[in-house]
Amino acid sequence: MSANWRPKSVRVRLALWYAGSLGVLLLLYAAGVFTFLERNLFRELERRLHDDFEVAEEMLEVRPDGEVRWRVQGHAEEHGEEEGWVEVWNLDGKPLYRSKSFARARVDPSLLPLPQGSTGYSSLALPDGSRVRVLTDRYPLGDVSVVIRVGRSEERLRHELWELLGLLALGFVIAVGAAGVSGYVLARRALAPVGRMAEQAVKVTADRLGERLPVANPDDELGQLASVFNQTFARLEKSFEQLRRFTADASHELRTPLTAIRSVGEVGLREPRDERSYRDIIGSMLEEVDRLARLVEQLLMLSRADAGHVKLSREPVDLAELAREVAEHLAVLAEEKKQVIQVGDDGVVMTEVDRLVLRQALINLYDNAIKYSPERSAISVSVRAKDLSAILEVKDSGIGIPRESQKHVFERFYRVDKGRSRGLGGTGLGLSIARWAVEVHGGLIEFESEVGKGSTFRIVLPLAEKGSGAEATSS
Ligand code: ADP
């Protein structure tokens, strides 16, 4: 229910808040001003009543026959003005004197008896609804003790207060109304960029990620918001582009072995052959299937890595031992090219890694060293601990990587020489996977390479906590 009447527009809400809070402040202020003035006006009235009382003390006299009267005739009128009067009572509540102005005030004396014992200031309600402020006190007049009551109408004072109240109310309505309108206009102006941003944001779709939000003033809050959105769009655009390229490259890579399998099969079926030929044909088809399987495996791994689904099961791993194990694993491959993989280390180098993931990185580096080095060349692997890092280097004396290609080799599907790499069974994903495998462990991978001389790939990983101890004990 409450959500229904709540204004949906931020502009209206801001304007209402603005006007509302100003209204509350104004009310407090007006209440303060009003009570202050009311108090002052009443004080002023009472001060005058006090003066009246003193004049009455001076001017009243008791004649020998007991009659109380004003000393100088006509003074009462002068003194009493139109709203003041003087009454004198004896202590039994019997009126002894009333000024003429009392009669002029058209007050029925019987309605205003002197309440017994009440002295000081008080307000009396007259039958016509008006009010009179009175000061009542005892006074010894000659030998007689009397009660004098002076009074002044509160009407003018009340009238003034009503006028003030009206003025305050009018000011309140005007101020709150103006605050509401100006708040609305201001909010509309301030929020106008949001509308423009929303309009523009609608245009940003998967096909049009190049669109950007307008940034009116980059230094204000809305400008900063638009800039942040634009940066996000830029990142989105970049990753969409990467995804598009990855999908296109992956389809292309998958098609190549499939085409090969198909054409080898078609050629094989074209004419009758002997068993040996069929074996050869099936053998080369299986090679392509292997390539396909490897490619699919690598693609799966990368997509799982991208999605962040790979959960590392870290354990203490001796990098030197892992380096030797991978060397043994790839020894057959190296032997085919009459290469030797030498692993040199200075003892245990402990890291805390997911063994299988890091192993894949090493396999890819060794594999590249074997693939891109000539026959009978040496491949050397060294493992050492330095400061708080575990360092593994794979050094080959192969073809090297040209300078202009160096910054691209970690990109997916990038190959310096497409024909040669594919011929060697490369997919262009090996180094991307190696880099991911190292970085996911908080490490880094780098290389130096010179065409015709060879390349050195280096993996730097954090040592395991107790790894520094292991370094100390190494011989
Ligand atoms: P591939 O599967 O093609 O080897 P990689 O991602 O492992 O893909 O490597 C990318 C490219 O980097 C390779 O195609 C190759 O041209 C170059 N490269 C990688 N390692 C070496 C190396 N040790 N020596 C020379 N070139 C290399």
Side-chain angles (χ1 to χ4, degrees), residues 312-325:
L312 294 182
S313 52
R314 287 179 184 256
E315 53 180 324
V317 170
D318 175 10
L319 200 59
E321 190 233 300
L322 186 66
R324 283 193 294 272
E325 187 207 305

Side-chain angles (χ1 to χ4, degrees), residues 24-280:
V24 171
L25 279 180
L26 273 182
L27 268 184
L28 289 176
Y29 177 72
V33 167
F34 186 81
T35 34
F36 176 77
L37 248 118
E38 187 189 33
R39 256 200 15 222
N40 275 6
L41 285 176
F42 270 99
R43 266 205 203 130
E44 172 66 18
L45 188 68
E46 283 164 6
R47 202 181 49 72
R48 286 161 74 185
L49 279 177
H50 185 79
D51 290 350
D52 290 351
F53 198 94
E54 281 179 353
V55 171
E57 280 170 11
E58 290 285 310
M59 301 305 283
L60 286 170
E61 63 175 1
V62 189
R63 294 178 46 149
D65 57 2
E67 187 199 344
V68 175
R69 53 168 226 156
W70 208 257
R71 263 189 232 277
V72 185
Q73 279 301 325
H75 191 92
E77 281 87 339
E78 278 169 37
H79 142 78
E81 294 160 11
E82 68 275 10
E83 82 254 54
W85 77 63
V86 183
E87 289 174 279
V88 182
W89 308 65
N90 71 10
L91 289 184
D92 302 329
K94 188 169 159 272
L96 300 178
Y97 171 81
R98 278 204 173 104
S99 64
K100 287 198 178 128
S101 51
F102 183 86
R104 261 216 312 265
R106 271 178 260 118
V107 183
D108 180 355
S110 63
L111 289 169
L112 293 174
L114 183 72
Q116 281 299 313
S118 75
T119 53
Y121 295 105
S122 58
S123 269
L124 295 180
L126 299 188
D128 65 355
S130 64
R131 297 189 76 87
V132 185
R133 192 100 184 131
V134 292
L135 170 60
T136 317
D137 211 350
R138 283 163 177 244
Y139 183 72
L141 209 57
D143 311 331
V144 204
S145 211
V146 293
V147 174
I148 301 178
R149 176 155 83 174
V150 291
R152 273 172 183 265
S153 167
E154 289 179 6
E155 280 318 290
R156 197 196 292 167
L157 181 154
R158 287 190 183 274
H159 183 70
E160 272 175 31
L161 283 178
W162 271 112
E163 263 178 8
L164 174 72
L165 205 65
L167 220 65
L168 286 175
L170 189 71
F172 176 82
V173 170
I174 291 174
V176 170
V181 172
S182 60
Y184 182 82
V185 172
L186 265 178
R188 207 170 73 166
R189 280 194 57 177
L191 294 175
V194 176
R196 286 199 291 275
M197 272 157 65
E199 255 170 48
Q200 190 66 20
V202 170
K203 294 188 194 151
V204 184
T205 57
D207 308 325
R208 295 176 62 185
L209 275 173
E211 299 279 346
R212 292 291 176 268
L213 301 185
V215 183
N217 179 3
D219 295 326
D220 69 12
E221 290 85 344
L222 290 180
Q224 282 168 10
L225 183 71
S227 302
V228 170
F229 271 124
N230 283 343
Q231 285 161 15
T232 310
F233 287 144
R235 280 200 299 275
L236 269 179
E237 188 184 15
K238 200 168 152 224
S239 44
F240 256 69
E241 181 49 38
Q242 278 173 351
L243 193 69
R244 232 193 304 258
R245 218 174 51 218
F246 183 67
T247 317
D249 287 347
S251 328
H252 180 76
E253 292 298 324
L254 289 169
R255 207 175 50 195
T256 312
L258 281 176
T259 315
I261 292 170
R262 185 195 192 109
S263 47
V264 171
E266 279 172 355
V267 169
L269 285 180
R270 210 168 281 163
E271 56 201 49
R273 290 164 194 277
D274 55 19
E275 190 196 322
R276 202 183 134 80
S277 308
Y278 280 128
R279 277 183 173 277
D280 283 350

Side-chain angles (χ1 to χ4, degrees), residues 298 364-365 367-373 394 396 398-402 408-418 421-422 425-433 449 454-457:
Q298 288 182 327
N364 292 357
L365 292 189
D367 186 50
N368 281 349
I370 296 168
K371 271 193 303 199
Y372 303 113
S373 302
V394 181
D396 66 53
I399 58 173
I401 302 168
H408 298 296
V409 290
F410 289 110
E411 290 170 12
R412 292 170 185 191
F413 296 113
Y414 183 84
R415 283 174 288 218
V416 175
D417 180 338
K418 290 205 183 316
S421 166
R422 191 171 287 135
T427 56
L429 293 175
L431 285 180
S432 322
I433 292 176
S449 186
S455 320
T456 303
F457 278 82

